[in-house]
Amino acid sequence: MIRVAVADDHPMFRAGLRGLIEDSAGLEFAGEASDGAAAVELCRSIAPDVLLMDLRMPGLTGVDATRRIVAEMPGVAVLVLTMVEDDTSLLATLRAGARGYLLKGAAPDEIATAVKAAASGQVLFGAGIADRLTGLLAATRQEPHPFPELSARERDVLDLLAQGRANPDIARRLGLSEKTVRNNVSAILAKLRVADRPSAIVRAREAGLGARPGAQFDGFPGSWGSE
């Protein structure tokens, strides 16, 4: 039997997943958590074979919780099941060590199949996610980074800066602490040799970063918070 735990902040969705797991041959429900910190503690206490992880939860994000679980308990396969489908979250989750990425609209049999694949060491993506990931990785290989002096994480932070996002939002999206984001922003300013945050955003947008479907950049947001 594959022991499966669930981490999601919506009680009804957790209940639905529990029913799915209990009704699926070869799967056993092992426990549940309502936020990222509780998910880490749950894995420490029961060591499930697979953890179904949401990304947007109060407190510790799903990405950061995934990173901690994978680092501390590599025997736990984290399988993301979320409504979030932006490219930044997808890449951040994979970098954190998740074994797969499904959207919450996935069919029950697709979720059960993904759980069994994760438990056996495979990596599985939901419908449409694999194609997008292939495109993202191909673009990464083919196109030179506009700021090669930046680390991968710093480029992720700069891209979100260029979208006009504040530090708390960047922290949530990348599964980082706000202090880490501030440190990354300071490093970006130093490496780009610019004096302030707006100047870095201008440089980033000129290089093509920060584009969002339907977004219009008519000026800078009124407040970005501190570095």
Side-chain angles (χ1 to χ4, degrees), residues 92-114:
T93 301
L94 296 181
R95 287 170 182 157
R99 293 274 185 87
Y101 198 107
L102 299 177
L103 298 179
K104 285 187 175 179
D109 59 342
E110 184 180 359
I111 296 174
T113 297

Side-chain angles (χ1 to χ4, degrees), residues 220-224:
F220 297 111
S223 174
W224 289 297

Side-chain angles (χ1 to χ4, degrees), residues 21-41:
I21 292 164
E22 292 176 340
D23 291 341
S24 299
L27 303 185
E28 174 186 347
F29 184 78
E32 62 184 71
S34 60
D35 58 54
V40 175
E41 291 303 318

Side-chain angles (χ1 to χ4, degrees), residues 13-217:
F13 193 76
R14 292 200 306 271
L17 286 177
R18 177 170 187 163
L20 185 158
I21 292 164
E22 292 176 340
D23 291 341
S24 299
L27 303 185
E28 174 186 347
F29 184 78
E32 62 184 71
S34 60
D35 58 54
V40 175
E41 291 303 318
L42 180 66
C43 289
R44 286 172 178 160
S45 63
I46 67 172
D49 299 305
V50 178
L51 174 68
L52 286 170
M53 174 80 80
D54 191 16
L55 290 186
R56 289 183 180 167
M57 294 184 289
L60 191 68
T61 68
V63 172
D64 205 22
T66 296
R67 187 178 295 111
R68 293 189 188 183
I69 291 167
V70 170
E72 294 182 29
M73 297 154 279
V76 178
V78 178
L79 178 62
V80 170
L81 182 60
T82 182
M83 293 290 292
V84 181
E85 53 180 318
D86 62 274
D87 293 344
T88 299
S89 296
L90 173 58
L91 291 176
T93 301
L94 296 181
R95 287 170 182 157
R99 293 274 185 87
Y101 198 107
L102 299 177
L103 298 179
K104 285 187 175 179
D109 59 342
E110 184 180 359
I111 296 174
T113 297
V115 167
K116 293 173 183 177
S120 66
Q122 301 177 53
V123 178
L124 191 146
F125 301 98
I129 296 294
D131 289 341
R132 285 175 54 197
L133 180 61
T134 300
L136 286 171
L137 295 178
T140 300
R141 289 193 299 268
Q142 295 171 6
E143 298 178 5
H145 294 300
F147 301 108
E149 65 270 35
L150 302 183
S151 69
R153 175 175 289 178
E154 289 165 352
R155 282 193 292 270
D156 289 340
V157 171
L158 181 59
D159 185 54
L160 292 171
L161 282 178
Q163 292 178 18
R165 301 189 185 278
N167 285 358
D169 189 16
I170 295 173
R172 285 192 298 272
R173 287 174 175 271
L174 298 181
L176 305 172
S177 68
E178 289 187 41
K179 179 179 179 181
T180 298
V181 172
R182 290 194 298 271
N183 290 340
N184 275 276
V185 172
S186 296
I188 289 167
L189 299 184
K191 290 181 179 180
L192 296 187
R193 298 182 181 180
V194 294
D196 51 32
R197 194 179 182 111
S199 299
I201 292 174
V202 170
R203 288 279 307 277
R205 291 179 182 173
E206 288 175 345
L209 298 183
R212 287 183 290 172
Q216 294 183 351
F217 297 122

